[in-house]
Amino acid sequence: MTVTTAGERPATEPAAPPGPGRGGPRRAPAAWAAAGVVLLALACVASLTVGARPVGWSTLVEAWLRFDASAGDHLVVQSRAPRTLTGLVVGAALGLAGAAMQGVARNPLADPGILGVNAGAALGVVVGLHAFGVATPGGYIWFAFAGAAVAAVTVYAVASLGREGATPVKLALAGAAFSAALASLVNAVLVMSRQTLDQFRFWQVGSLAGTGVDTLASVLPFVVAGGVVTIALGRSLNGLALGDEVARGLGQRVGLTRGVAAVGVVLLVGSATALAGPIAFVGLVVPHAVRALVGGDHRWLLPLSALLAPVLLLAADVMGRVVAPPGEVQAGIMTAVVGAPVFVALVRRRRVGSL
């Protein structure tokens, strides 16, 4: 027999399951945010100074304060600035979208690819290259964005069929099936056109190099819009983490929340994929690391994922410049090297199916 006193839980009663904001260590999110800002600043400095031609810190400061077009090191810093900015934008978009997708699907293995966004963007790029002869990022970026949007909307519409609506399992199955179908179409076009294959394979690897300021500026409004929409859903994603029935009982419109989240993810991942190609694992690894630091409250999880994901992406890009001099390894390959072991570890965890 279990003896209890007023205000006490019986010793044999199981503890309440961790909910949004309770799962994970209880550390000050503001402190981790400050640490993230420092790490991000260091990653940006490394991105501007490390490479085939190293640049000193003093030279970096001079290049920003008193730029001299006749100085070679100043030109190096200038040429690396768009690459660093691209890493900031793409990393923030992928980290934020990954955290949102894991919250919507209630699956720690979910990443933006669950909606087929990467496959849709890839098909859009292939169509732009093959059918319209577009060969520059500023041209095919719109095809990539349109393909990502159509793919995500289609997957969500298919998953919404039936009485239960777009459940996490149906979203995952519809995304996997649609991604496989789009990949087949991409391969069919590439087999027929050698020229399209030669152009597409450089984009497919995933890289921060080659993106100009004009292209970045044209995509930035979509990233900002997607970021605002997604971060605004923090409280709603906390409700989804409790389960659809509980969320409905609290007055939340589950279908609307998932639909708005899908719009935000499309804007973020479609833009990021168009800019840098299909870079994997950033949206998977970073939200898990942030969740281990501050817990599962999406009001902190979302912005901190957007803050720390560029750190990982820029670090991967910097490592890719130094591992095989005088050439470099693309950032998409380096993130796969870092993310694949983490993915395997997550799969092996007992409680991998729940957050």
Side-chain angles (χ1 to χ4, degrees):
M1 182 176 67
T2 303
V3 179
T4 62
T5 60
E8 291 184 326
R9 177 186 291 133
T12 57
E13 181 182 341
R22 293 199 298 266
R26 295 276 60 82
R27 300 186 178 96
W32 288 116
V37 171
V38 174
L39 290 175
L40 185 59
L42 293 176
C44 291
V45 171
S47 179
L48 292 170
T49 58
V50 177
R53 181 169 177 172
V55 176
W57 284 47
S58 60
T59 305
L60 174 63
V61 174
E62 290 178 2
W64 282 107
L65 298 181
R66 297 185 299 274
F67 178 76
D68 183 1
S70 63
D73 287 344
H74 290 196
L75 293 176
V76 170
V77 173
Q78 184 185 50
S79 66
R80 290 174 180 168
R83 187 169 184 165
T84 303
L85 292 174
T86 301
L88 290 173
V89 173
V90 172
L94 293 177
L96 184 56
M101 283 307 306
Q102 291 176 14
V104 169
R106 299 202 305 275
N107 186 340
L109 296 182
D111 73 348
I114 197 172
L115 283 182
V117 176
N118 285 346
L123 181 60
V125 170
V126 168
V127 170
L129 293 173
H130 180 67
F132 297 93
V134 179
T136 62
Y140 64 62
I141 192 170
W142 303 107
F143 292 93
F145 187 77
V150 171
V153 170
T154 303
V155 168
Y156 188 81
V158 171
S160 299
L161 299 176
R163 292 184 301 173
E164 297 179 351
T167 63
V169 173
K170 290 168 67 178
L171 279 170
L173 293 175
F178 199 64
S179 295
L182 293 181
S184 299
L185 292 176
V186 169
N187 291 332
V189 175
L190 296 180
V191 167
M192 293 186 298
S193 174
R194 178 61 181 271
Q195 181 181 2
T196 303
L197 174 61
D198 291 338
Q199 295 173 322
F200 177 75
R201 61 192 178 94
F202 294 105
W203 176 87
Q204 190 180 29
V205 173
S207 174
L208 302 182
T211 301
V213 176
D214 293 340
T215 302
L216 186 62
S218 66
V219 177
L220 187 60
F222 297 105
V223 177
V224 172
V228 171
V229 169
T230 305
I231 291 178
L233 291 174
R235 189 179 297 274
S236 298
L237 292 178
N238 284 346
L240 286 183
L242 299 173
D244 289 3
E245 295 301 325
V246 175
R248 291 191 182 96
L250 295 174
Q252 183 172 326
R253 300 176 63 180
V254 174
L256 178 61
T257 299
R258 286 204 172 99
V260 174
V263 172
V265 169
V266 166
L267 291 172
L268 292 169
V269 184
S271 302
T273 305
L275 279 174
I279 295 178
F281 292 110
V282 174
L284 175 69
V285 173
V286 174
H288 276 283
V290 175
R291 191 176 290 109
L293 296 175
V294 302
D297 189 344
H298 286 84
R299 292 172 297 180
W300 282 103
L301 180 61
L302 292 170
L304 286 179
S305 295
L307 177 65
L308 293 178
V311 176
L312 173 61
L313 186 55
L314 289 174
D317 186 51
V318 171
M319 287 189 294
R321 302 180 202 173
V322 299
V323 295
E328 65 179 60
V329 180
Q330 304 301 327
I333 298 175
M334 296 304 300
T335 56
V337 171
V338 174
V342 177
F343 180 80
V344 173
L346 291 173
V347 171
R348 292 177 59 87
R349 287 177 56 186
R350 288 184 181 179
R351 301 184 63 185
V352 75
S354 61
L355 288 176

